[in-house]
Amino acid sequence: MKRQDIRLLALARQGDLAARCEVGRRYLLGADGFPQHLPTGLEHLRQAARQDAGRASRVLAECLPLHELLRAGELPTLQRAAADGSAAAQWRLGLVMLGLGGPEADEGLALLRRAAPGEPVAEGLLDAAWSATAAQRLVVTLRRAAELAAVDAPAVALWLAERTLAQDRPGPAAAALVAACELGEGESGALPEDAAIGLVALVRRCRDTGQRLPALPPELLRQALEQRAAAGERDALSWLGRGLSGLPAAGLPGAVFDGQLNVRKGAAWLLRAADAGDAEAWLLLYGLHADHSLSVANPQMARFFLEKAAHEGLAEAQRKLGALMLRGAATLADSEQAIAWLHAAALQGDGHAHTLLKSLVLPVAGRDSDAAWALSMVQEHDVGLAARLALARAFGLTKLEALSVDPVQGLRPWGLVVGRNPFIVQARLSAPRAVPALDAAAQDVAQRAATLFAQLPAGGDLRVRSLRQRRLFERLGLSDELFFADASASVLDTLRLGPKWAHRTRAPLAMALAA
């Protein structure tokens, strides 16, 4: 470094305004004996701005590369310099305003016209802007700026895309991203990584906000999805899997995958999306592998995917898994597991699941108000019997079931299990049965009964309890119909065995599996 350059640096460090501005200019440009070092140049000019904002802003706006200026958050500096009459700042700001679109685009043209007299770059940009169509204006002007002033056009386009996307303006963001792709395309044909990221972010923003996605070349969107999917981005994996499988891809126009259907490839992308955390992808994979008309049909894989979706908490998957398990249930354990899944779906408001659960509960006659009054009368004489009667009405139990059930052992998170009755010889009447709770009130009844019976001493065998109940009902004038369900052995069999239950409830079962 020459002696005069060292002296200039010393003056700048001592706070001389002119020296600070000159040192900043040289560092930004890498000129007159100074290496190019943007952070140092920015620091000198920011120090100078505290003494004379106008002068420092002009140097910064004219010398710092446009994309670096924008990335550094110095747009207000550019605006200040343009307002002070700097022609270079005016054409630079005009170019940015064109890219922001809307009313700002008109202001950008006005700035270019203002800078054009005596400024060749501004004249060239103005000619390019007027000669291009509205759709190509940004690409043409950025390319012209790169030719005339070595502007990093792709970097400026990406900044414009980020800015407009942050402002929730999908139209200008789409135009800027298309420009970034056209201007930054490499020899390999791959999109600039930042542009691919921006395109996927644009689709996501439109989907999440309910806005219409601006028109974009289908092949451009598909290429962006493929690049981001290869990088493991979940939304890209999900969209690509859905589109290639022929499934609706929310936020994407159908034209993106016209002539591109490939169910095997789509299923593979969906599997990666599911593994990346897209719970709904498991359910979509179930649908594909359960469809016998597709090349990927596989019942075992379909069941696996359905179970994964159910474990992820999807009500539809829980309902379908519960329905399939209940349809084939041959044991009490099978029925319990199936009811647990249906109960989980019903808790999320799934109407079909609630309908299937309701088909497992026998109806009990009488009004709830009459039953409540009768329970209060019974409770004065026998709290244990009152709890059994409440259970019988809430869960649709027969008289034998109500008087023999063990509320402590039978309590489940989803309802109640009536165990095998050791006092009944006939197997069809004594077999165990799982009964779901149709609402929170029924579950509360079961919980209170279990708490009570855990504290009470054993109450004798079924014969003793039956005699006590009959005598108390005769004394109080109560009817069995108010608490006990009336069901034959064959009806009870249909509630215990899955295939019989499925035949009895085939219409709602079909709806639950199809919905």
Side-chain angles (χ1 to χ4, degrees):
M1 184 174 285
K2 297 179 181 179
R3 183 177 298 175
Q4 59 266 32
D5 296 335
I6 296 174
R7 188 179 302 114
L8 182 65
L9 267 176
L11 288 172
R13 288 167 182 160
Q14 292 169 12
D16 184 86
L17 174 62
R20 277 177 168 170
C21 289
E22 179 61 18
V23 169
R25 182 189 72 82
R26 293 186 186 188
Y27 271 124
L28 292 183
L29 297 176
D32 300 328
F34 281 69
Q36 188 175 42
H37 195 265
L38 301 184
T40 303
L42 275 171
E43 180 60 28
H44 279 288
L45 289 170
R46 284 169 176 165
Q47 291 289 341
R50 297 176 183 176
Q51 299 169 266
D52 188 337
R55 184 173 178 177
S57 297
R58 191 180 187 104
V59 175
L60 186 58
E62 293 177 353
C63 299
L64 184 64
L66 181 56
H67 69 284
E68 295 286 357
L69 187 145
L70 296 172
R71 291 289 181 192
E74 295 292 344
L75 182 60
T77 300
L78 185 61
Q79 293 169 328
R80 185 183 300 112
D84 287 345
S86 167
Q90 287 171 349
W91 73 254
R92 287 178 159 209
L93 182 59
L95 183 62
V96 172
M97 300 294 276
L98 276 177
L100 292 176
E104 288 94 336
D106 295 333
E107 296 178 28
L109 289 172
L111 282 166
L112 291 176
R113 283 194 294 269
R114 192 183 310 164
E119 177 56 67
V121 176
E123 291 179 4
L125 293 180
L126 196 58
D127 290 342
W130 285 118
S131 64
T133 63
Q136 284 293 310
R137 178 171 291 171
L138 181 59
V139 174
V140 171
T141 52
L142 282 173
R143 184 176 287 120
R144 189 64 173 149
E147 295 169 355
L148 295 174
V151 169
D152 189 338
V156 172
L158 286 171
W159 181 89
L160 290 168
E162 290 177 11
R163 176 88 170 192
T164 49
L165 192 58
Q167 294 172 344
D168 207 17
R169 299 168 60 196
L177 287 167
V178 170
C181 292
E182 289 192 26
L183 296 168
E185 187 174 2
E187 294 182 1
S188 65
L191 300 180
E193 193 61 25
D194 288 341
I197 293 172
L199 284 167
V200 174
L202 174 63
V203 177
R204 185 186 302 112
R205 176 67 64 88
C206 290
R207 178 200 65 188
D208 293 345
T209 60
Q211 298 182 76
R212 185 182 180 85
L213 182 69
L216 288 165
E219 64 278 5
L220 190 67
L221 274 175
R222 192 168 58 253
Q223 189 177 357
L225 290 175
E226 288 172 352
Q227 284 186 213
R228 295 310 302 153
E233 186 171 338
R234 188 179 70 183
D235 282 341
L237 290 165
S238 181
W239 276 317
L240 201 57
R242 284 166 163 82
L244 292 175
S245 301
L247 301 171
L252 280 177
V256 175
F257 297 100
D258 281 351
Q260 302 292 321
L261 294 186
N262 186 328
V263 178
R264 286 187 176 276
K265 192 173 181 180
W269 287 119
L270 278 175
L271 184 56
R272 288 191 60 186
D275 186 58
D278 182 359
E280 191 179 351
W282 292 118
L283 188 57
L284 296 176
L285 284 165
Y286 160 73
L288 292 175
H289 288 76
D291 189 341
H292 299 294
S293 66
L294 297 178
S295 60
V296 295
N298 186 321
Q300 290 76 25
M301 288 298 292
R303 178 61 175 264
F304 170 75
F305 292 137
L306 185 61
E307 290 173 355
K308 294 288 286 185
H311 282 291
E312 288 290 339
L314 296 181
E316 181 183 346
Q318 292 171 340
R319 177 233 305 160
K320 289 182 177 179
L321 180 59
L324 289 173
M325 294 180 72
L326 193 57
R327 185 176 67 182
T331 65
L332 177 64
D334 294 339
S335 296
E336 287 194 54
Q337 193 174 5
I339 292 173
W341 284 120
L342 289 172
H343 185 262
L347 285 179
Q348 297 189 62
D350 192 296
H352 292 295
H354 187 270
T355 299
L356 295 184
L357 290 175
K358 193 174 181 179
S359 70
L360 295 169
V361 179
L362 295 169
V364 180
R367 297 182 301 180
D368 289 340
S369 57
D370 293 341
W373 174 84
L375 278 176
S376 65
M377 298 292 291
V378 173
Q379 195 161 13
E380 294 178 3
H381 298 83
D382 191 331
V383 293
L385 178 59
R388 289 183 180 279
L389 295 177
L391 274 177
R393 184 165 181 86
F395 287 87
L397 306 183
T398 65
K399 187 173 182 178
L400 285 175
E401 290 175 328
L403 295 178
S404 61
V405 65
D406 183 343
V408 178
Q409 297 297 322
L411 182 66
R412 298 291 187 273
W414 43 261
L416 185 69
V417 169
V418 180
R420 179 176 295 278
N421 192 333
F423 303 106
I424 305 297
V425 176
Q426 190 175 352
R428 295 180 68 186
L429 294 178
S430 64
R433 182 164 74 95
V435 190
L438 296 182
D439 51 35
Q443 192 64 34
D444 184 58
V445 168
Q447 183 63 59
R448 284 190 281 109
T451 302
L452 174 65
F453 277 84
Q455 301 169 354
L456 291 178
D461 61 16
L462 175 62
R463 206 172 314 159
V464 173
R465 287 196 291 269
S466 179
L467 180 60
R468 186 184 305 146
Q469 176 266 326
R470 186 172 69 251
R471 288 177 176 175
L472 187 57
F473 269 39
E474 290 174 354
R475 189 190 318 165
L476 299 176
L478 301 179
S479 170
D480 287 355
E481 295 180 353
L482 193 58
F483 294 102
F484 305 125
D486 184 17
S488 64
S490 60
V491 170
L492 290 174
D493 266 354
T494 64
L495 302 181
R496 296 184 181 110
L497 297 176
K500 291 185 177 182
W501 167 84
H503 179 74
R504 181 187 180 201
T505 58
R506 53 189 177 276
L509 177 60
M511 292 178 63
L513 292 173

